[in-house]
Amino acid sequence: MEIESKLEDDRIQTIKKEPEVGDLVSYKHNRELTGQQLETGLVLETWSDKGPFEGEVFPQALVYWNETEDQETFPLEDLDVISA
């Protein structure tokens, strides 16, 4: 099934919150680094990985991207919430 995106990049505003399951997100660096068009994804799962040092925690999210239909893991800090 193909899903057509009707989102316009210039009308999207980010929400200042940590991504949670069910949020629509975009990858922060997509437009900044590559100038690519905005791709939206749905957060399927979140968790925290432990770092090599005591007390280090790396929050992660599994994101389903609607354009490519890929599921990828990203650090939460690299995602912008665009709809909650």
Side-chain angles (χ1 to χ4, degrees):
M1 178 169 89
E2 190 173 315
I3 299 172
E4 181 183 350
S5 177
K6 297 204 181 261
L7 296 174
E8 297 175 22
D9 288 2
D10 58 343
R11 295 186 57 203
I12 294 199
Q13 295 181 3
T14 60
I15 300 169
K16 301 293 183 201
K17 75 176 210 90
E18 189 171 276
E20 298 173 1
V21 173
D23 288 346
L24 282 179
V25 294
S26 67
Y27 181 58
K28 276 186 183 181
H29 305 292
N30 230 18
R31 288 185 287 172
E32 294 170 13
L33 299 178
T34 64
Q36 291 179 346
Q37 204 172 22
L38 178 69
E39 182 177 10
T40 59
L42 177 67
V43 177
L44 301 175
E45 184 179 347
T46 61
W47 67 91
S48 292
D49 286 339
K50 292 183 181 178
F53 302 106
E54 188 175 326
E56 248 185 349
V57 177
F58 299 105
Q60 304 283 317
L62 179 64
V63 180
Y64 172 82
W65 297 104
N66 69 327
E67 298 274 326
T68 59
E69 297 185 1
D70 290 336
Q71 292 183 13
E72 296 181 80
T73 301
F74 285 89
L76 290 185
E77 64 190 27
D78 288 349
L79 299 171
D80 280 330
V81 177
I82 57 176
S83 178

Coordinates of all heavy atoms in Angstrom, one line a residue:
M1 N 0.8 -1.2 0.0 CA 0.0 0.0 0.0 C 0.9 1.2 0.0 O 1.8 1.3 0.8 CB -0.9 0.0 1.2 CG -1.8 1.2 1.3 SD -3.0 1.1 2.6 CE -2.2 1.7 4.0
E2 N 0.6 2.1 -0.9 CA 1.4 3.4 -1.0 C 0.7 4.5 -0.2 O -0.6 4.7 -0.4 CB 1.6 3.8 -2.4 CG 2.6 4.9 -2.6 CD 2.9 5.1 -4.1 OE1 3.1 4.1 -4.8 OE2 2.9 6.3 -4.5
I3 N 1.4 5.2 0.6 CA 0.9 6.4 1.3 C 1.4 7.6 0.7 O 2.6 7.8 0.6 CB 1.2 6.3 2.8 CG1 0.7 5.0 3.4 CG2 0.7 7.5 3.6 CD1 1.1 4.7 4.8
E4 N 0.5 8.5 0.3 CA 1.0 9.8 -0.2 C 1.1 10.9 0.9 O 0.2 11.0 1.7 CB -0.1 10.3 -1.2 CG 0.3 11.6 -1.9 CD -0.8 12.1 -2.9 OE1 -1.7 11.3 -3.1 OE2 -0.7 13.3 -3.3
S5 N 2.2 11.5 0.9 CA 2.5 12.5 1.9 C 1.9 13.9 1.4 O 2.2 14.3 0.3 CB 4.0 12.7 2.2 OG 4.2 13.8 3.1
K6 N 1.1 14.5 2.2 CA 0.5 15.8 1.9 C 1.1 16.9 2.8 O 0.5 18.0 2.9 CB -1.0 15.7 2.0 CG -1.6 14.7 1.0 CD -3.1 15.1 0.8 CE -3.7 14.1 -0.2 NZ -3.7 14.5 -1.5
L7 N 2.2 16.6 3.5 CA 2.8 17.5 4.4 C 3.7 18.5 3.5 O 4.4 18.1 2.6 CB 3.7 16.8 5.4 CG 3.0 15.9 6.4 CD1 4.0 15.2 7.2 CD2 2.1 16.7 7.2
E8 N 3.6 19.7 3.9 CA 4.4 20.8 3.2 C 5.5 21.2 4.2 O 5.2 21.6 5.3 CB 3.6 22.0 2.8 CG 2.5 21.6 1.8 CD 1.6 22.8 1.5 OE1 2.0 24.0 1.8 OE2 0.5 22.6 1.1
D9 N 6.8 21.0 3.8 CA 7.9 21.3 4.6 C 7.9 22.6 5.3 O 8.2 22.7 6.5 CB 9.2 21.2 3.9 CG 9.6 19.8 3.5 OD1 8.8 18.9 3.8 OD2 10.7 19.6 2.9
D10 N 7.5 23.7 4.6 CA 7.5 25.0 5.2 C 6.4 25.3 6.2 O 6.4 26.3 6.9 CB 7.5 26.1 4.1 CG 6.3 26.0 3.2 OD1 5.6 24.9 3.2 OD2 6.0 26.9 2.5
R11 N 5.4 24.4 6.3 CA 4.3 24.6 7.3 C 4.5 23.7 8.5 O 3.7 23.8 9.5 CB 3.0 24.2 6.6 CG 2.7 25.2 5.5 CD 1.3 25.0 4.9 NE 0.3 25.1 5.9 CZ -0.9 24.5 5.9 NH1 -1.2 23.8 4.8 NH2 -1.7 24.7 6.8
I12 N 5.5 22.9 8.6 CA 5.7 22.0 9.7 C 6.5 22.7 10.8 O 7.5 23.3 10.6 CB 6.5 20.7 9.3 CG1 5.6 20.0 8.3 CG2 6.9 19.9 10.5 CD1 5.9 18.6 8.1
Q13 N 5.9 22.6 12.1 CA 6.6 23.1 13.2 C 6.9 21.9 14.2 O 6.1 21.0 14.3 CB 5.7 24.1 14.0 CG 5.4 25.3 13.1 CD 4.5 26.3 13.9 OE1 4.2 26.1 15.0 NE2 4.1 27.4 13.2
T14 N 8.1 22.0 14.8 CA 8.5 20.9 15.7 C 7.9 21.2 17.1 O 7.6 22.4 17.5 CB 10.0 20.8 15.8 OG1 10.5 22.0 16.3 CG2 10.6 20.4 14.5
I15 N 7.7 20.1 17.8 CA 7.2 20.2 19.2 C 8.4 19.9 20.1 O 9.1 18.9 19.9 CB 6.1 19.2 19.4 CG1 4.9 19.5 18.5 CG2 5.6 19.2 20.9 CD1 3.9 18.4 18.4
K16 N 8.6 20.7 21.1 CA 9.8 20.6 22.0 C 9.5 19.5 23.0 O 9.0 19.8 24.1 CB 10.2 21.9 22.6 CG 10.5 23.0 21.6 CD 11.8 22.6 20.9 CE 12.1 23.8 20.0 NZ 13.0 23.4 18.9
K17 N 9.6 18.2 22.7 CA 9.4 17.2 23.6 C 10.2 16.0 23.1 O 10.6 15.9 22.0 CB 8.0 16.8 23.8 CG 7.3 16.1 22.7 CD 5.9 15.7 23.1 CE 5.4 14.5 22.5 NZ 5.6 13.2 23.1
E18 N 10.5 15.0 24.0 CA 11.2 13.8 23.7 C 10.2 12.9 22.9 O 9.1 12.7 23.3 CB 11.7 13.1 24.9 CG 12.6 12.0 24.6 CD 13.3 11.5 25.9 OE1 14.3 12.0 26.3 OE2 12.7 10.5 26.5
P19 N 10.7 12.3 21.8 CA 9.8 11.4 21.1 C 9.3 10.2 21.9 O 10.0 9.7 22.7 CB 10.6 10.9 19.9 CG 11.7 11.9 19.8 CD 11.9 12.4 21.2
E20 N 8.0 9.9 21.7 CA 7.4 8.7 22.4 C 6.7 7.9 21.4 O 6.5 8.3 20.2 CB 6.3 9.2 23.4 CG 6.8 10.1 24.5 CD 5.7 10.6 25.4 OE1 4.5 10.4 25.1 OE2 6.0 11.4 26.3
V21 N 6.4 6.6 21.7 CA 5.7 5.7 20.8 C 4.4 6.4 20.3 O 3.7 7.0 21.0 CB 5.4 4.4 21.5 CG1 4.5 3.5 20.6 CG2 6.6 3.7 21.9
G22 N 4.3 6.3 19.0 CA 3.1 6.9 18.3 C 3.3 8.3 17.8 O 2.4 8.8 17.1
D23 N 4.4 9.0 18.1 CA 4.7 10.3 17.6 C 5.2 10.3 16.2 O 5.9 9.4 15.8 CB 5.7 11.0 18.5 CG 5.3 11.4 19.8 OD1 4.0 11.4 20.1 OD2 6.1 11.8 20.7
L24 N 4.8 11.3 15.4 CA 5.4 11.5 14.1 C 6.6 12.3 14.3 O 6.6 13.3 15.0 CB 4.4 12.3 13.2 CG 3.3 11.5 12.5 CD1 2.4 12.4 11.7 CD2 3.8 10.3 11.7
V25 N 7.7 11.9 13.6 CA 9.0 12.6 13.8 C 9.7 12.8 12.4 O 9.3 12.2 11.4 CB 10.0 11.7 14.7 CG1 9.4 11.6 16.1 CG2 10.2 10.3 14.1
S26 N 10.7 13.7 12.4 CA 11.5 13.9 11.3 C 13.0 13.8 11.8 O 13.2 14.0 13.0 CB 11.3 15.2 10.6 OG 11.6 16.3 11.4
Y27 N 13.9 13.5 10.9 CA 15.3 13.4 11.3 C 15.9 14.8 11.2 O 15.8 15.5 10.2 CB 16.0 12.5 10.3 CG 17.5 12.3 10.6 CD1 17.9 11.8 11.8 CD2 18.4 12.6 9.6 CE1 19.3 11.7 12.1 CE2 19.8 12.4 9.9 CZ 20.2 12.0 11.1 OH 21.5 11.8 11.3
K28 N 16.4 15.3 12.3 CA 16.9 16.7 12.5 C 17.8 17.1 11.4 O 17.8 18.2 10.9 CB 17.6 16.9 13.8 CG 16.7 17.2 15.0 CD 17.5 17.5 16.2 CE 16.6 17.7 17.3 NZ 17.3 18.0 18.6
H29 N 18.8 16.3 11.0 CA 19.9 16.7 10.2 C 19.6 16.5 8.7 O 20.4 16.8 7.8 CB 21.1 15.9 10.5 CG 21.5 16.1 12.0 ND1 21.9 17.2 12.5 CD2 21.4 15.2 13.0 CE1 22.1 17.1 13.8 NE2 21.8 15.9 14.1
N30 N 18.4 16.0 8.3 CA 18.1 15.7 6.9 C 18.2 17.0 6.1 O 18.8 17.0 5.1 CB 16.7 15.1 6.8 CG 16.6 13.9 6.0 OD1 17.6 13.3 5.7 ND2 15.5 13.5 5.5
R31 N 17.5 18.0 6.5 CA 17.5 19.3 5.7 C 18.7 20.1 6.0 O 19.2 20.7 5.1 CB 16.2 20.1 6.0 CG 15.0 19.4 5.4 CD 13.8 20.3 5.6 NE 13.4 20.2 7.0 CZ 12.5 21.0 7.6 NH1 11.8 21.9 6.9 NH2 12.1 20.9 8.8
E32 N 19.2 20.1 7.2 CA 20.4 20.9 7.5 C 21.6 20.4 6.8 O 22.4 21.3 6.2 CB 20.7 20.8 9.0 CG 19.6 21.4 9.9 CD 19.8 21.1 11.4 OE1 20.9 20.6 11.8 OE2 18.9 21.3 12.2
L33 N 21.9 19.1 6.7 CA 23.1 18.6 6.1 C 23.0 18.3 4.6 O 23.9 18.6 3.8 CB 23.6 17.4 6.8 CG 23.9 17.5 8.3 CD1 24.3 16.2 8.9 CD2 25.0 18.5 8.5
T34 N 21.9 17.8 4.2 CA 21.8 17.3 2.8 C 20.8 18.2 2.0 O 20.8 18.0 0.8 CB 21.3 15.9 2.8 OG1 20.0 15.8 3.3 CG2 22.2 15.0 3.6
G35 N 20.0 19.0 2.6 CA 19.0 19.7 1.9 C 17.9 18.9 1.3 O 17.1 19.3 0.5
Q36 N 17.8 17.6 1.8 CA 16.7 16.8 1.3 C 15.4 17.2 1.8 O 15.2 17.9 2.8 CB 17.0 15.3 1.8 CG 18.1 14.7 1.2 CD 18.3 13.3 1.8 OE1 17.7 12.9 2.8 NE2 19.2 12.5 1.1
Q37 N 14.3 16.8 1.1 CA 13.0 17.0 1.5 C 12.7 16.3 2.8 O 13.2 15.3 3.1 CB 12.0 16.6 0.4 CG 10.7 17.2 0.4 CD 9.9 16.8 -0.8 OE1 10.2 15.8 -1.4 NE2 9.0 17.7 -1.2
L38 N 11.8 16.9 3.6 CA 11.4 16.3 4.9 C 10.8 14.9 4.7 O 9.9 14.7 3.9 CB 10.4 17.2 5.6 CG 9.8 16.7 6.9 CD1 10.9 16.7 8.0 CD2 8.7 17.6 7.3
E39 N 11.3 13.9 5.4 CA 10.6 12.6 5.5 C 10.1 12.4 6.9 O 10.7 12.8 7.9 CB 11.7 11.5 5.2 CG 11.0 10.1 5.2 CD 12.0 9.0 4.8 OE1 13.2 9.3 4.7 OE2 11.5 7.9 4.6
T40 N 8.9 11.9 7.0 CA 8.3 11.7 8.3 C 8.3 10.2 8.6 O 8.2 9.4 7.8 CB 6.8 12.2 8.3 OG1 6.1 11.6 7.3 CG2 6.8 13.7 8.1
G41 N 8.4 10.0 9.9 CA 8.4 8.6 10.4 C 7.5 8.5 11.7 O 7.2 9.5 12.3
L42 N 7.2 7.3 12.0 CA 6.3 7.0 13.1 C 7.2 6.2 14.1 O 7.8 5.2 13.8 CB 5.2 6.1 12.7 CG 4.2 5.6 13.8 CD1 3.5 6.8 14.5 CD2 3.2 4.6 13.3
V43 N 7.2 6.7 15.4 CA 8.0 6.0 16.4 C 7.3 4.8 16.9 O 6.1 4.8 17.3 CB 8.2 6.9 17.7 CG1 9.0 6.2 18.8 CG2 9.0 8.2 17.3
L44 N 7.9 3.6 16.7 CA 7.3 2.3 17.0 C 7.7 1.8 18.4 O 6.9 1.1 19.0 CB 7.8 1.3 16.0 CG 7.4 1.5 14.5 CD1 8.0 0.4 13.6 CD2 5.9 1.6 14.3
E45 N 8.9 2.2 18.8 CA 9.4 1.7 20.1 C 10.5 2.6 20.6 O 11.2 3.2 19.8 CB 10.0 0.3 19.9 CG 10.4 -0.4 21.1 CD 11.0 -1.8 20.8 OE1 10.8 -2.3 19.6 OE2 11.6 -2.4 21.6
T46 N 10.6 2.8 21.9 CA 11.7 3.5 22.5 C 12.4 2.7 23.6 O 11.7 1.9 24.3 CB 11.3 4.9 23.1 OG1 10.3 4.7 24.1 CG2 10.7 5.8 22.1
W47 N 13.6 2.9 23.9 CA 14.3 2.2 25.0 C 15.6 3.0 25.3 O 16.0 3.9 24.6 CB 14.7 0.8 24.6 CG 15.6 0.7 23.5 CD1 17.0 0.5 23.6 CD2 15.4 0.7 22.1 NE1 17.6 0.5 22.4 CE2 16.6 0.5 21.4 CE3 14.2 0.7 21.3 CZ2 16.7 0.5 20.0 CZ3 14.3 0.7 20.0 CH2 15.5 0.6 19.3
S48 N 16.3 2.6 26.3 CA 17.6 3.2 26.6 C 18.7 2.2 26.7 O 18.6 1.1 27.3 CB 17.5 3.9 28.0 OG 16.7 5.0 27.9
D49 N 19.8 2.4 25.9 CA 21.0 1.5 26.0 C 21.9 2.1 27.0 O 22.1 3.3 27.2 CB 21.7 1.5 24.6 CG 20.9 0.7 23.6 OD1 20.1 -0.1 23.9 OD2 21.1 1.0 22.4
K50 N 22.6 1.1 27.7 CA 23.6 1.5 28.7 C 24.9 1.8 27.9 O 25.3 1.1 27.0 CB 23.8 0.5 29.7 CG 22.6 0.3 30.6 CD 22.9 -0.7 31.7 CE 21.6 -0.9 32.6 NZ 21.8 -1.9 33.6
G51 N 25.6 2.8 28.4 CA 26.9 3.1 27.8 C 28.0 2.4 28.5 O 27.8 1.6 29.5
P52 N 29.3 2.5 28.0 CA 30.4 1.7 28.6 C 30.7 2.2 30.0 O 31.4 1.5 30.8 CB 31.5 2.0 27.7 CG 31.2 3.2 26.9 CD 29.7 3.3 26.9
F53 N 30.3 3.4 30.4 CA 30.6 3.9 31.7 C 29.4 3.9 32.6 O 28.3 4.1 32.2 CB 31.2 5.4 31.6 CG 32.4 5.4 30.8 CD1 32.4 6.0 29.5 CD2 33.6 4.9 31.2 CE1 33.5 6.0 28.7 CE2 34.8 5.0 30.4 CZ 34.7 5.5 29.2
E54 N 29.6 3.8 33.9 CA 28.5 3.8 34.9 C 27.7 5.1 34.8 O 28.2 6.2 34.7 CB 29.0 3.7 36.3 CG 28.0 3.4 37.3 CD 28.5 3.2 38.7 OE1 29.6 2.6 38.8 OE2 27.8 3.6 39.7
G55 N 26.4 4.9 34.7 CA 25.5 6.0 34.7 C 25.2 6.6 33.3 O 24.4 7.5 33.1
E56 N 25.9 6.1 32.2 CA 25.7 6.5 30.9 C 24.5 5.9 30.3 O 24.4 4.6 30.4 CB 26.9 6.2 30.0 CG 27.7 7.4 29.6 CD 28.8 7.0 28.6 OE1 29.1 5.8 28.5 OE2 29.4 7.9 28.0
V57 N 23.6 6.7 29.7 CA 22.4 6.1 29.1 C 22.2 6.8 27.7 O 22.4 8.0 27.6 CB 21.2 6.4 30.0 CG1 19.9 5.9 29.3 CG2 21.3 5.8 31.4
F58 N 21.9 6.0 26.7 CA 21.6 6.5 25.4 C 20.2 6.1 25.0 O 20.0 5.0 24.5 CB 22.6 5.9 24.4 CG 24.1 6.2 24.7 CD1 24.9 5.3 25.3 CD2 24.6 7.5 24.5 CE1 26.2 5.6 25.6 CE2 25.9 7.8 24.8 CZ 26.7 6.9 25.4
P59 N 19.3 7.1 25.1 CA 17.9 6.8 24.6 C 17.8 6.6 23.1 O 18.4 7.4 22.4 CB 17.1 8.1 25.1 CG 18.0 8.8 26.0 CD 19.4 8.4 25.6
Q60 N 17.1 5.6 22.7 CA 17.0 5.2 21.3 C 15.5 5.1 20.9 O 14.6 4.9 21.8 CB 17.6 3.9 21.1 CG 19.1 3.8 21.5 CD 20.0 4.4 20.5 OE1 19.9 4.3 19.3 NE2 21.0 5.2 21.0
A61 N 15.3 5.1 19.6 CA 13.9 4.9 19.1 C 14.0 4.1 17.8 O 14.9 4.3 17.0 CB 13.2 6.3 18.8
L62 N 13.0 3.2 17.6 CA 12.8 2.5 16.4 C 11.8 3.3 15.6 O 10.6 3.5 16.1 CB 12.3 1.1 16.6 CG 12.1 0.3 15.4 CD1 13.4 0.1 14.6 CD2 11.5 -1.1 15.7
V63 N 12.1 3.8 14.4 CA 11.3 4.6 13.6 C 10.9 3.9 12.3 O 11.8 3.4 11.6 CB 11.9 6.0 13.3 CG1 11.0 6.9 12.5 CG2 12.3 6.7 14.6
Y64 N 9.6 4.0 11.9 CA 9.2 3.5 10.6 C 9.0 4.7 9.7 O 8.3 5.6 10.0 CB 7.8 2.8 10.7 CG 7.2 2.4 9.4 CD1 7.6 1.3 8.7 CD2 6.3 3.2 8.8 CE1 7.1 0.9 7.5 CE2 5.7 2.9 7.6 CZ 6.1 1.8 6.9 OH 5.6 1.4 5.7
W65 N 9.8 4.7 8.6 CA 9.8 5.9 7.7 C 8.8 5.6 6.6 O 8.9 4.6 5.9 CB 11.2 6.1 7.1 CG 12.2 6.5 8.2 CD1 13.1 5.7 8.7 CD2 12.2 7.7 8.9 NE1 13.8 6.4 9.7 CE2 13.2 7.6 9.8 CE3 11.5 8.9 8.8 CZ2 13.6 8.7 10.7 CZ3 11.8 10.0 9.7 CH2 12.9 9.8 10.6
N66 N 7.9 6.6 6.4 CA 6.8 6.3 5.4 C 7.2 6.4 3.9 O 6.6 5.7 3.1 CB 5.7 7.3 5.6 CG 6.0 8.8 5.2 OD1 7.2 9.2 5.4 ND2 5.1 9.5 4.8
E67 N 8.3 7.1 3.6 CA 8.7 7.2 2.2 C 9.4 5.9 1.8 O 9.1 5.3 0.7 CB 9.7 8.4 2.0 CG 9.1 9.7 2.3 CD 8.4 10.3 1.1 OE1 8.8 10.1 0.0 OE2 7.4 11.0 1.3
T68 N 10.3 5.4 2.6 CA 11.2 4.3 2.2 C 10.6 3.0 2.7 O 11.1 1.9 2.3 CB 12.6 4.5 2.7 OG1 12.5 4.6 4.1 CG2 13.3 5.7 2.1
E69 N 9.7 3.1 3.7 CA 9.1 1.9 4.4 C 10.2 1.1 5.1 O 10.1 -0.1 5.3 CB 8.3 1.0 3.4 CG 7.1 1.7 2.8 CD 6.3 0.8 1.9 OE1 6.6 -0.4 1.8 OE2 5.3 1.4 1.4
D70 N 11.2 1.8 5.6 CA 12.3 1.2 6.3 C 12.1 1.4 7.8 O 11.4 2.4 8.2 CB 13.7 1.8 6.0 CG 14.2 1.5 4.6 OD1 13.8 0.4 4.1 OD2 15.0 2.3 4.1
Q71 N 12.6 0.5 8.6 CA 12.6 0.7 10.1 C 14.0 0.9 10.5 O 14.9 0.0 10.2 CB 12.0 -0.5 10.8 CG 10.5 -0.7 10.6 CD 9.9 -1.8 11.3 OE1 10.6 -2.4 12.2 NE2 8.7 -2.2 11.0
E72 N 14.3 2.0 11.2 CA 15.7 2.3 11.6 C 15.7 2.8 13.0 O 14.8 3.3 13.5 CB 16.3 3.4 10.7 CG 16.4 3.0 9.2 CD 17.1 4.1 8.4 OE1 18.3 4.2 8.4 OE2 16.3 4.8 7.8
T73 N 16.9 2.5 13.7 CA 17.1 3.0 15.0 C 17.8 4.3 15.0 O 18.8 4.4 14.3 CB 17.9 1.9 15.8 OG1 17.2 0.7 15.8 CG2 18.1 2.4 17.2
F74 N 17.4 5.3 15.8 CA 18.0 6.6 15.9 C 18.1 7.0 17.4 O 17.2 6.7 18.2 CB 17.2 7.7 15.2 CG 17.3 7.6 13.7 CD1 16.4 6.8 13.0 CD2 18.2 8.4 13.1 CE1 16.5 6.8 11.6 CE2 18.3 8.3 11.7 CZ 17.4 7.6 11.0
P75 N 19.1 7.8 17.8 CA 19.1 8.4 19.1 C 18.0 9.4 19.2 O 17.7 10.1 18.2 CB 20.5 9.1 19.1 CG 21.3 8.5 18.1 CD 20.4 8.0 17.0
L76 N 17.3 9.4 20.3 CA 16.2 10.4 20.4 C 16.6 11.8 20.2 O 15.8 12.6 19.6 CB 15.6 10.2 21.9 CG 14.8 9.0 22.2 CD1 14.2 9.1 23.5 CD2 13.8 8.6 21.1
E77 N 17.8 12.2 20.5 CA 18.2 13.5 20.3 C 18.3 13.9 18.8 O 18.4 15.1 18.5 CB 19.6 13.8 21.0 CG 20.7 13.0 20.4 CD 22.0 13.1 21.2 OE1 21.9 13.3 22.4 OE2 23.1 12.9 20.6
D78 N 18.4 13.0 17.9 CA 18.4 13.3 16.5 C 17.1 13.4 15.8 O 17.0 13.5 14.6 CB 19.2 12.2 15.8 CG 20.7 12.2 16.1 OD1 21.2 13.2 16.7 OD2 21.4 11.3 15.7
L79 N 16.0 13.3 16.6 CA 14.6 13.3 16.1 C 13.9 14.5 16.5 O 14.0 14.9 17.7 CB 13.9 12.0 16.5 CG 14.5 10.7 16.0 CD1 13.7 9.6 16.7 CD2 14.4 10.6 14.5
D80 N 13.1 15.1 15.7 CA 12.2 16.2 16.0 C 10.8 15.7 16.0 O 10.4 15.1 15.0 CB 12.3 17.4 15.0 CG 13.5 18.3 15.2 OD1 13.9 18.4 16.4 OD2 14.0 18.8 14.2
V81 N 10.0 16.0 17.0 CA 8.6 15.6 17.0 C 7.8 16.6 16.2 O 7.9 17.8 16.5 CB 8.1 15.5 18.5 CG1 6.6 15.2 18.5 CG2 8.8 14.4 19.2
I82 N 7.0 16.2 15.3 CA 6.2 17.1 14.5 C 4.7 16.9 14.7 O 3.9 17.7 14.3 CB 6.5 17.0 13.0 CG1 6.3 15.6 12.4 CG2 7.9 17.5 12.7 CD1 6.5 15.4 10.9
S83 N 4.4 15.8 15.4 CA 3.0 15.6 15.8 C 2.9 14.6 16.9 O 3.6 13.5 16.8 CB 2.2 15.1 14.6 OG 0.8 14.8 15.0
A84 N 2.2 14.9 17.9 CA 2.1 14.0 19.1 C 0.7 13.6 19.3 O -0.2 14.2 19.0 CB 2.7 14.7 20.3

